[in-house]
C-alpha cells in the first residue's frame, strides 16, 4: 500500500500569478504593475476596511458556525431565503465543499477545457473521472458538454463569464442546455464576474433560474476587492445547502471575512466605481489591441485575453513585459498555451502596460 495515492502524485497544483514583491526582488525593479490575477485595482472599500477593523478585537473568539448575519444579509440582498445561502473561503472553498459533499468515487464530473483550473484540481484530487470538451471559438460548447452526460455523471461545472476567456454563454444557450441535464446532475454555475456582466440582457443571471440542481457561486474577491480575505458565497435549493453546511469546516468563514463581506455589500458606491473603471479599462484595451493588430477576445469580465501565434510568442512577450515591470498571465495551464490574459487596472496602470507592450512589439 502506497502512502500517497497515484492521483495525488500526478496532480498539478494551481500556479498563481507572480507577486509584485517577487518580481521587484528578482529583477531589481522599483515599479511593477500586476495585471495577472483579475484583482480590484481600486483596492478595498473603506466601509469593508472599517468593518474588519471593528471586528479585530473579537478575533480571540470563534466565529458563528452558521454565519447567520452574513447569510441573512445575502438573503435580503438577493431576495432569497436564509436557507438558500452558503459561504466559504472563496469560490474555490465552496467548490471543494461541494465535491466532498456530493461526489462518490465511481461518479464523474464534466467541464470544458479552457476554464477555471480549480475545478479540475478539485476533481482530480478526489481521483474521480473528469471529462472535458474543447472550447468552440473560445466559448463554452454547451451542446458538446451535454453530449458527455452518462449515468455516472454527478457534477457539471460552468463558468459564466468564463475565466480565462471572459466571454459568456447566453440566456437561450443556457436554457437549451438545462433541458438536456437530468435533475440528478448538479450544475455548478460559477459567476465570479457577475457584477461586470449583469447589465447585458443576453447574460443568464442564474438567480432568475432557481433550479433545484443548480448551485450558484459568487465571490467578494473580484468586484468587491476582497481577494486576500478569501470569502465567496453561493445559492442553492435548501436541501443542498443543509448538506453543504454539514461538511464545511466548522468555523468557516472567519470573523474577519464575515465582517468584510458585510461591509463590502453595504458600499454599493464602491462597487459601481469598480464596474465603471473596468468598462473604461476594457475599451482602452480594445482600442490598444486593435491599433497594434493583436487578436483579442471581447470580455464580460475584468480582463481581456489576447491570442498570439504560438506558445513561444507568449513566452517571449511575457518575459519581455516582466523585465519592464508588467505582470500578465500566460494561459498554458488553462490549455490555451498561445494566449495571455491581461487584467484591467487603474488608468495609469493600463497606460504603463500599453507603453511596455508597444516597446516590446
Amino acid at each position: 500500500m502506497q502512502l500517497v495515492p497515484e492521483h495525488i502524485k500526478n496532480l498539478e497544483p494551481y500556479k498563481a500569478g507572480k507577486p509584485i514583491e517577487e518580481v521587484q526582488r528578482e529583477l531589481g525593479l522599483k515599479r511593477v504593475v500586476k495585471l495577472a490575477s483579475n484583482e480590484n485595482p481600486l483596492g478595498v472599500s473603506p466601509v469593508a476596511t472599517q468593518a474588519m477593523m471593528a471586528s479585530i478585537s473579537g478575533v480571540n473568539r470563534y466565529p458563528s458556525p452558521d454565519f447567520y448575519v452574513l447569510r441573512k444579509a445575502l438573503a435580503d440582498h438577493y431576495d432569497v431565503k436564509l436557507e438558500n445561502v452558503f459561504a466559504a473561503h472563496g469560490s474555490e472553498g465552496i467548490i471543494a465543499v461541494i465535491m466532498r459533499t456530493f461526489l462518490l468515487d465511481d461518479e464523474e464530473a464534466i467541464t470544458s477545457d479552457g476554464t477555471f483550473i480549480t475545478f479540475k484540481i478539485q476533481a482530480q484530487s478526489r481521483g474521480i473521472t473528469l471529462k472535458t470538451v474543447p472550447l468552440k471559438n473560445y466559448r463554452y460548447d454547451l451542446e458538446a458538454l451535454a453530449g458527455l452526460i452518462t449515468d455516472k455523471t454527478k457534477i457539471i461545472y460552468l463558468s459564466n463569464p468564463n475565466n480565462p476567456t471572459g466571454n459568456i454563454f447566453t440566456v437561450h444557450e443556457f436554457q437549451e442546455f438545462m433541458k438536456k441535464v437530468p435533475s440528478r446532475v448538479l450544475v455548478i454555475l460559477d459567476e465570479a464576474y457577475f457584477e461586470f456582466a449583469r447589465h447585458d440582457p443576453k447574460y443568464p443571471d442564474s438567480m432568475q433560474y432557481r433550479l433545484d440542481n443548480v448551485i450558484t457561486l459568487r465571490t467578494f474577491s473580484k468586484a468587491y476587492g476582497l481577494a486576500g480575505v478569501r470569502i465567496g458565497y453561493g445559492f442553492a435549493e435548501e436541501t443542498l445547502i443543509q448538506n453543504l453546511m454539514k461538511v464545511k469546516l466548522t468555523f468557516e468563514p472567519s470573523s474577519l471575512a464575515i465582517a468584510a463581506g458585510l461591509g463590502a455589500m453595504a458600499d454599493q458606491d464602491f462597487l459601481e466605481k469598480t464596474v465603471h473603471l473596468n468598462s473604461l479599462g476594457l475599451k482602452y484595451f480594445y482600442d490598444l489591441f486593435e491599433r497594434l493588430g493583436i487578436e483579442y477576445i471581447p470580455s464580460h469580465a475584468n480582463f481581456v485575453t489576447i491570442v498570439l501565434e504560438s506558445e513561444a510568442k507568449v513566452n517571449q512577450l511575457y518575459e519581455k513585459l516582466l523585465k519592464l515591470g508588467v505582470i500578465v498571465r500566460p494561459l498554458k495551464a488553462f490549455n490555451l498555451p498561445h494566449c495571455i490574459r491581461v487584467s484591467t487596472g487603474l488608468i495609469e496602470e493600463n497606460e504603463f502596460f500599453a507603453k511596455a507592450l508597444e516597446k516590446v512589439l
Side-chain angles (χ1 to χ4, degrees):
M1 180 183 296
Q2 57 181 340
L3 184 63
V4 181
E6 203 64 33
H7 63 273
I8 298 297
K9 284 184 180 179
N10 297 330
L11 189 62
E12 282 289 329
Y14 182 83
K15 294 182 176 67
K18 270 182 173 285
I20 291 174
E21 298 79 10
E22 182 180 327
V23 175
Q24 288 176 319
R25 185 175 64 250
E26 289 179 354
L27 300 178
L29 298 171
K30 289 185 178 180
R31 185 180 186 190
V32 173
V33 169
K34 185 182 179 186
L35 302 177
S37 299
N38 309 338
E39 295 153 336
N40 190 325
L42 286 177
V44 186
S45 154
V47 180
T49 300
Q50 291 165 10
M52 284 188 283
M53 294 296 291
S55 75
I56 285 177
S57 61
V59 296
N60 60 311
R61 305 293 183 188
Y62 289 109
S64 167
D66 69 354
F67 48 97
Y68 172 87
V69 177
L70 178 62
R71 291 172 72 204
K72 183 67 168 62
L74 285 164
D76 291 345
H77 186 74
Y78 288 101
D79 193 25
V80 297
K81 295 189 296 184
L82 179 76
E83 292 79 10
N84 297 125
V85 183
F86 187 72
H89 295 325
S91 299
E92 296 168 299
I94 302 177
I95 291 171
V97 178
I98 291 171
M99 304 298 258
R100 294 200 306 271
T101 304
F102 300 114
L103 264 178
L104 298 175
D105 291 343
D106 62 342
E107 293 176 329
E108 299 176 351
I110 295 174
T111 191
S112 175
D113 290 327
T115 195
F116 189 41
I117 301 171
T118 288
F119 180 76
K120 294 183 180 182
I121 292 174
Q122 291 294 336
Q124 290 166 356
S125 72
R126 288 291 313 277
I128 64 159
T129 298
L130 175 66
K131 294 181 177 179
T132 63
V133 297
L135 294 174
K136 186 176 182 180
N137 298 323
Y138 298 106
R139 298 179 70 246
Y140 264 92
D141 188 345
L142 293 183
E143 187 175 343
L145 278 171
L148 290 181
I149 297 173
T150 69
D151 291 342
K152 289 191 172 184
T153 304
K154 185 59 168 290
I155 292 178
I156 301 173
Y157 173 83
L158 307 175
S159 174
N160 200 40
N162 183 39
N163 177 18
T165 57
N167 46 26
I168 63 169
F169 49 81
T170 65
V171 170
H172 175 72
E173 289 169 330
F174 176 66
Q175 290 173 340
E176 290 303 304
F177 174 75
M178 289 306 300
K179 291 176 184 177
K180 302 170 186 175
V181 178
S183 59
R184 59 173 177 79
V185 175
L186 284 175
V187 176
I188 300 175
L189 194 44
D190 190 343
E191 296 178 344
Y193 302 92
F194 160 77
E195 290 82 6
F196 304 109
R198 60 182 173 172
H199 297 303
D200 188 332
K202 298 189 299 295
Y203 177 69
D205 173 357
S206 66
M207 296 304 291
Q208 306 303 315
Y209 305 90
R210 291 319 317 143
L211 304 171
D212 287 351
N213 62 332
V214 172
I215 300 178
T216 298
L217 303 189
R218 292 184 182 168
T219 185
F220 287 106
S221 295
K222 309 302 181 187
Y224 286 102
L226 298 178
V229 175
R230 309 309 304 129
I231 180 163
Y233 57 97
F235 306 97
E237 186 271 330
E238 56 191 82
T239 303
L240 298 179
I241 298 296
Q242 286 171 8
N243 286 286
L244 290 173
M245 293 291 284
K246 295 176 189 175
V247 176
K248 80 172 187 73
L249 299 176
T250 305
F251 298 112
E252 175 187 23
S254 72
S255 52
L256 279 176
I258 292 169
L262 290 167
M265 270 196 299
D267 193 352
Q268 292 297 303
D269 286 344
F270 178 83
L271 176 63
E272 292 306 321
K273 288 176 184 175
T274 295
V275 172
H276 177 66
L277 177 66
N278 181 65
S279 66
L280 296 178
L282 291 179
K283 184 180 185 308
Y284 183 84
F285 281 173
Y286 296 164
D287 292 344
L288 171 69
F289 298 146
E290 287 171 10
R291 179 164 53 83
L292 297 177
I294 296 174
E295 182 182 354
Y296 67 90
I297 303 170
S299 176
H300 280 73
N302 63 342
F303 56 83
V304 180
T305 288
I306 62 175
V307 182
L308 302 180
E309 296 90 342
S310 65
E311 182 181 350
K313 292 285 188 182
V314 164
N315 293 338
Q316 289 171 14
L317 184 58
Y318 170 74
E319 292 296 338
K320 288 179 179 179
L321 287 173
L322 201 62
K323 290 175 181 176
L324 293 175
V326 179
I327 311 171
V328 293
R329 187 66 186 271
L331 298 179
K332 181 177 182 179
F334 293 79
N335 282 335
L336 295 169
H338 59 298
C339 296
I340 285 178
R341 189 186 67 198
V342 187
S343 309
T344 60
L346 299 172
I347 292 173
E348 55 268 31
E349 291 175 329
N350 297 337
E351 292 172 346
F352 186 79
F353 161 68
K355 290 178 182 177
L357 183 62
E358 289 173 334
K359 185 173 182 180
V360 300
L361 291 180

